[in-house]
Amino acid sequence: MPQARAARDGGGYRDGVEEIDRKIVSLLTGDGRMSFTELARQTGLSVSAAQQRVRRLERRGVITGYAARVNADEVGLPLTAFVSIKPFDPASPDDAPQRLAHLAAIEACHSVAGEESYILKVRVASPVALEDLLQEIRAAANVSTRTTIVLSTPYENRPPVF
């Protein structure tokens, strides 16, 4: 059962995962490159048991991948914004995510409740680049936009709380 559905149904991650697995997920969320030796040390498992549990969590889809976290400023993308989008025609197909998937500046797309249909997290090099991206979004998805520019990010990518 997918995690989102399980959470809606009142069940969820806590119901199907042992405490030691929650600890493993928490540790790997904080440091995806943690060695099995260190993971074993911090969980009290043997190295082989830690490795087996991680592989099982991967097979079950609890752990879906590993990625490097990049300093956006250092790679030339210092401007982060949240762009709320809403279709001009409410009767039009709900296909904005597919229409926008080709735009690499969109880091995340969230379906939301409320007046807007989706909120996009975008990263760009400058205000001019943001303006260009907004025009691309509007043209590609036939939507109106409302943009909030991020001034600073005290924290993000925090490990989940179980």
Side-chain angles (χ1 to χ4, degrees), residues 43-69:
T43 58
L45 296 170
S46 69
V47 173
S48 63
Q51 186 174 18
Q52 287 174 357
R53 284 184 177 263
V54 169
R55 298 293 177 244
R56 185 173 51 223
L57 290 166
E58 291 169 345
R59 279 193 307 275
R60 287 182 52 202
V62 174
I63 296 174
T64 59
Y66 302 88
R69 292 188 192 137

mmCIF file of all heavy atoms in Angstrom, residues 43-69:
data_model
loop_
_atom_site.group_PDB
_atom_site.id
_atom_site.type_symbol
_atom_site.label_atom_id
_atom_site.label_comp_id
_atom_site.label_asym_id
_atom_site.label_seq_id
_atom_site.Cartn_x
_atom_site.Cartn_y
_atom_site.Cartn_z
ATOM 1 N N THR A 43 23.012 1.655 15.314
ATOM 2 C CA THR A 43 21.759 0.942 15.553
ATOM 3 C C THR A 43 21.923 -0.284 16.445
ATOM 4 O O THR A 43 20.931 -0.874 16.863
ATOM 5 C CB THR A 43 21.127 0.483 14.222
ATOM 6 O OG1 THR A 43 22.055 -0.356 13.536
ATOM 7 C CG2 THR A 43 20.726 1.668 13.369
ATOM 8 N N GLY A 44 23.169 -0.668 16.700
ATOM 9 C CA GLY A 44 23.403 -1.848 17.522
ATOM 10 C C GLY A 44 23.246 -3.153 16.761
ATOM 11 O O GLY A 44 23.181 -4.222 17.359
ATOM 12 N N LEU A 45 23.196 -3.086 15.443
ATOM 13 C CA LEU A 45 23.087 -4.283 14.613
ATOM 14 C C LEU A 45 24.463 -4.720 14.133
ATOM 15 O O LEU A 45 25.416 -3.955 14.190
ATOM 16 C CB LEU A 45 22.222 -3.991 13.378
ATOM 17 C CG LEU A 45 20.763 -3.626 13.604
ATOM 18 C CD1 LEU A 45 20.144 -3.140 12.304
ATOM 19 C CD2 LEU A 45 19.990 -4.816 14.151
ATOM 20 N N SER A 46 24.544 -5.925 13.608
ATOM 21 C CA SER A 46 25.761 -6.333 12.905
ATOM 22 C C SER A 46 25.752 -5.628 11.552
ATOM 23 O O SER A 46 24.711 -5.182 11.078
ATOM 24 C CB SER A 46 25.788 -7.846 12.710
ATOM 25 O OG SER A 46 24.791 -8.237 11.781
ATOM 26 N N VAL A 47 26.903 -5.561 10.916
ATOM 27 C CA VAL A 47 26.993 -4.920 9.609
ATOM 28 C C VAL A 47 26.088 -5.639 8.611
ATOM 29 O O VAL A 47 25.351 -4.997 7.850
ATOM 30 C CB VAL A 47 28.458 -4.881 9.111
ATOM 31 C CG1 VAL A 47 28.530 -4.368 7.690
ATOM 32 C CG2 VAL A 47 29.310 -4.020 10.042
ATOM 33 N N SER A 48 26.111 -6.970 8.608
ATOM 34 C CA SER A 48 25.284 -7.710 7.650
ATOM 35 C C SER A 48 23.792 -7.509 7.933
ATOM 36 O O SER A 48 22.989 -7.397 6.995
ATOM 37 C CB SER A 48 25.639 -9.193 7.630
ATOM 38 O OG SER A 48 25.371 -9.778 8.880
ATOM 39 N N ALA A 49 23.406 -7.440 9.196
ATOM 40 C CA ALA A 49 21.993 -7.207 9.534
ATOM 41 C C ALA A 49 21.559 -5.809 9.099
ATOM 42 O O ALA A 49 20.449 -5.628 8.580
ATOM 43 C CB ALA A 49 21.757 -7.394 11.029
ATOM 44 N N ALA A 50 22.427 -4.818 9.299
ATOM 45 C CA ALA A 50 22.108 -3.450 8.862
ATOM 46 C C ALA A 50 21.948 -3.422 7.346
ATOM 47 O O ALA A 50 20.993 -2.823 6.822
ATOM 48 C CB ALA A 50 23.203 -2.485 9.308
ATOM 49 N N GLN A 51 22.845 -4.075 6.632
ATOM 50 C CA GLN A 51 22.781 -4.106 5.179
ATOM 51 C C GLN A 51 21.505 -4.804 4.704
ATOM 52 O O GLN A 51 20.830 -4.326 3.789
ATOM 53 C CB GLN A 51 24.011 -4.805 4.610
ATOM 54 C CG GLN A 51 24.090 -4.750 3.110
ATOM 55 C CD GLN A 51 25.397 -5.315 2.579
ATOM 56 O OE1 GLN A 51 26.102 -6.029 3.265
ATOM 57 N NE2 GLN A 51 25.708 -4.979 1.343
ATOM 58 N N GLN A 52 21.145 -5.916 5.338
ATOM 59 C CA GLN A 52 19.932 -6.644 4.958
ATOM 60 C C GLN A 52 18.689 -5.783 5.186
ATOM 61 O O GLN A 52 17.780 -5.760 4.349
ATOM 62 C CB GLN A 52 19.813 -7.943 5.759
ATOM 63 C CG GLN A 52 20.779 -9.006 5.326
ATOM 64 C CD GLN A 52 20.729 -10.219 6.248
ATOM 65 O OE1 GLN A 52 20.015 -10.243 7.250
ATOM 66 N NE2 GLN A 52 21.516 -11.234 5.899
ATOM 67 N N ARG A 53 18.655 -5.067 6.312
ATOM 68 C CA ARG A 53 17.505 -4.214 6.596
ATOM 69 C C ARG A 53 17.390 -3.069 5.591
ATOM 70 O O ARG A 53 16.293 -2.739 5.148
ATOM 71 C CB ARG A 53 17.562 -3.678 8.023
ATOM 72 C CG ARG A 53 17.174 -4.732 9.052
ATOM 73 C CD ARG A 53 17.150 -4.142 10.451
ATOM 74 N NE ARG A 53 16.728 -5.113 11.415
ATOM 75 C CZ ARG A 53 15.471 -5.227 11.876
ATOM 76 N NH1 ARG A 53 14.534 -4.424 11.434
ATOM 77 N NH2 ARG A 53 15.175 -6.138 12.770
ATOM 78 N N VAL A 54 18.523 -2.470 5.237
ATOM 79 C CA VAL A 54 18.492 -1.388 4.249
ATOM 80 C C VAL A 54 17.977 -1.932 2.915
ATOM 81 O O VAL A 54 17.114 -1.314 2.277
ATOM 82 C CB VAL A 54 19.877 -0.732 4.085
ATOM 83 C CG1 VAL A 54 19.907 0.190 2.877
ATOM 84 C CG2 VAL A 54 20.256 0.033 5.347
ATOM 85 N N ARG A 55 18.488 -3.068 2.482
ATOM 86 C CA ARG A 55 18.034 -3.657 1.214
ATOM 87 C C ARG A 55 16.541 -3.963 1.248
ATOM 88 O O ARG A 55 15.822 -3.757 0.267
ATOM 89 C CB ARG A 55 18.823 -4.932 0.876
ATOM 90 C CG ARG A 55 20.299 -4.705 0.686
ATOM 91 C CD ARG A 55 20.596 -3.857 -0.554
ATOM 92 N NE ARG A 55 22.015 -3.608 -0.665
ATOM 93 C CZ ARG A 55 22.584 -2.418 -0.596
ATOM 94 N NH1 ARG A 55 21.864 -1.337 -0.439
ATOM 95 N NH2 ARG A 55 23.888 -2.269 -0.691
ATOM 96 N N ARG A 56 16.056 -4.458 2.386
ATOM 97 C CA ARG A 56 14.625 -4.750 2.522
ATOM 98 C C ARG A 56 13.806 -3.455 2.460
ATOM 99 O O ARG A 56 12.765 -3.403 1.801
ATOM 100 C CB ARG A 56 14.359 -5.504 3.821
ATOM 101 C CG ARG A 56 12.902 -5.940 3.947
ATOM 102 C CD ARG A 56 12.637 -6.838 5.131
ATOM 103 N NE ARG A 56 13.169 -6.251 6.338
ATOM 104 C CZ ARG A 56 13.836 -6.924 7.284
ATOM 105 N NH1 ARG A 56 14.058 -8.198 7.154
ATOM 106 N NH2 ARG A 56 14.275 -6.309 8.354
ATOM 107 N N LEU A 57 14.285 -2.394 3.102
ATOM 108 C CA LEU A 57 13.593 -1.098 3.049
ATOM 109 C C LEU A 57 13.578 -0.543 1.628
ATOM 110 O O LEU A 57 12.591 0.067 1.202
ATOM 111 C CB LEU A 57 14.246 -0.101 4.021
ATOM 112 C CG LEU A 57 14.030 -0.405 5.502
ATOM 113 C CD1 LEU A 57 14.981 0.418 6.358
ATOM 114 C CD2 LEU A 57 12.585 -0.144 5.898
ATOM 115 N N GLU A 58 14.643 -0.776 0.882
ATOM 116 C CA GLU A 58 14.688 -0.348 -0.520
ATOM 117 C C GLU A 58 13.682 -1.149 -1.355
ATOM 118 O O GLU A 58 12.933 -0.578 -2.154
ATOM 119 C CB GLU A 58 16.100 -0.522 -1.086
ATOM 120 C CG GLU A 58 17.113 0.438 -0.498
ATOM 121 C CD GLU A 58 18.559 0.113 -0.848
ATOM 122 O OE1 GLU A 58 18.833 -1.023 -1.322
ATOM 123 O OE2 GLU A 58 19.407 0.984 -0.643
ATOM 124 N N ARG A 59 13.655 -2.471 -1.172
ATOM 125 C CA ARG A 59 12.721 -3.320 -1.940
ATOM 126 C C ARG A 59 11.269 -2.954 -1.652
ATOM 127 O O ARG A 59 10.425 -2.996 -2.546
ATOM 128 C CB ARG A 59 12.954 -4.798 -1.613
ATOM 129 C CG ARG A 59 14.119 -5.423 -2.349
ATOM 130 C CD ARG A 59 14.113 -6.946 -2.251
ATOM 131 N NE ARG A 59 14.026 -7.454 -0.890
ATOM 132 C CZ ARG A 59 15.066 -7.621 -0.077
ATOM 133 N NH1 ARG A 59 16.282 -7.342 -0.465
ATOM 134 N NH2 ARG A 59 14.892 -8.095 1.136
ATOM 135 N N ARG A 60 10.977 -2.620 -0.397
ATOM 136 C CA ARG A 60 9.601 -2.263 -0.011
ATOM 137 C C ARG A 60 9.209 -0.874 -0.490
ATOM 138 O O ARG A 60 8.042 -0.507 -0.419
ATOM 139 C CB ARG A 60 9.464 -2.305 1.513
ATOM 140 C CG ARG A 60 9.453 -3.700 2.076
ATOM 141 C CD ARG A 60 9.256 -3.726 3.574
ATOM 142 N NE ARG A 60 8.092 -2.966 3.990
ATOM 143 C CZ ARG A 60 7.929 -2.482 5.216
ATOM 144 N NH1 ARG A 60 8.852 -2.674 6.137
ATOM 145 N NH2 ARG A 60 6.846 -1.809 5.525
ATOM 146 N N GLY A 61 10.177 -0.092 -0.941
ATOM 147 C CA GLY A 61 9.857 1.262 -1.397
ATOM 148 C C GLY A 61 9.845 2.288 -0.295
ATOM 149 O O GLY A 61 9.433 3.431 -0.507
ATOM 150 N N VAL A 62 10.302 1.908 0.902
ATOM 151 C CA VAL A 62 10.413 2.885 1.992
ATOM 152 C C VAL A 62 11.563 3.834 1.667
ATOM 153 O O VAL A 62 11.415 5.054 1.745
ATOM 154 C CB VAL A 62 10.633 2.189 3.358
ATOM 155 C CG1 VAL A 62 10.901 3.205 4.459
ATOM 156 C CG2 VAL A 62 9.421 1.331 3.710
ATOM 157 N N ILE A 63 12.691 3.280 1.280
ATOM 158 C CA ILE A 63 13.821 4.080 0.788
ATOM 159 C C ILE A 63 13.734 4.022 -0.726
ATOM 160 O O ILE A 63 13.830 2.949 -1.322
ATOM 161 C CB ILE A 63 15.171 3.530 1.287
ATOM 162 C CG1 ILE A 63 15.254 3.625 2.814
ATOM 163 C CG2 ILE A 63 16.324 4.290 0.633
ATOM 164 C CD1 ILE A 63 16.488 2.973 3.417
ATOM 165 N N THR A 64 13.554 5.192 -1.346
ATOM 166 C CA THR A 64 13.332 5.224 -2.793
ATOM 167 C C THR A 64 14.552 5.657 -3.583
ATOM 168 O O THR A 64 14.523 5.628 -4.813
ATOM 169 C CB THR A 64 12.160 6.153 -3.137
ATOM 170 O OG1 THR A 64 12.466 7.463 -2.657
ATOM 171 C CG2 THR A 64 10.868 5.652 -2.516
ATOM 172 N N GLY A 65 15.614 6.083 -2.908
ATOM 173 C CA GLY A 65 16.817 6.488 -3.625
ATOM 174 C C GLY A 65 17.735 7.305 -2.742
ATOM 175 O O GLY A 65 17.434 7.577 -1.579
ATOM 176 N N TYR A 66 18.852 7.683 -3.318
ATOM 177 C CA TYR A 66 19.865 8.471 -2.630
ATOM 178 C C TYR A 66 20.286 9.593 -3.568
ATOM 179 O O TYR A 66 20.391 9.393 -4.770
ATOM 180 C CB TYR A 66 21.082 7.599 -2.296
ATOM 181 C CG TYR A 66 20.717 6.403 -1.437
ATOM 182 C CD1 TYR A 66 20.312 5.206 -2.020
ATOM 183 C CD2 TYR A 66 20.759 6.481 -0.052
ATOM 184 C CE1 TYR A 66 19.957 4.116 -1.244
ATOM 185 C CE2 TYR A 66 20.404 5.392 0.734
ATOM 186 C CZ TYR A 66 20.003 4.210 0.127
ATOM 187 O OH TYR A 66 19.658 3.145 0.897
ATOM 188 N N ALA A 67 20.519 10.769 -3.011
ATOM 189 C CA ALA A 67 20.893 11.903 -3.860
ATOM 190 C C ALA A 67 21.824 12.842 -3.105
ATOM 191 O O ALA A 67 21.762 12.944 -1.883
ATOM 192 C CB ALA A 67 19.643 12.664 -4.298
ATOM 193 N N ALA A 68 22.644 13.540 -3.867
ATOM 194 C CA ALA A 68 23.510 14.560 -3.277
ATOM 195 C C ALA A 68 22.695 15.830 -3.064
ATOM 196 O O ALA A 68 21.857 16.181 -3.890
ATOM 197 C CB ALA A 68 24.682 14.849 -4.205
ATOM 198 N N ARG A 69 22.925 16.502 -1.976
ATOM 199 C CA ARG A 69 22.325 17.815 -1.749
ATOM 200 C C ARG A 69 23.310 18.851 -2.255
ATOM 201 O O ARG A 69 24.485 18.806 -1.916
ATOM 202 C CB ARG A 69 22.041 18.028 -0.268
ATOM 203 C CG ARG A 69 20.957 17.112 0.229
ATOM 204 C CD ARG A 69 20.544 17.464 1.637
ATOM 205 N NE ARG A 69 19.724 16.400 2.160
ATOM 206 C CZ ARG A 69 19.812 15.905 3.372
ATOM 207 N NH1 ARG A 69 20.700 16.402 4.216
ATOM 208 N NH2 ARG A 69 19.032 14.939 3.756
#
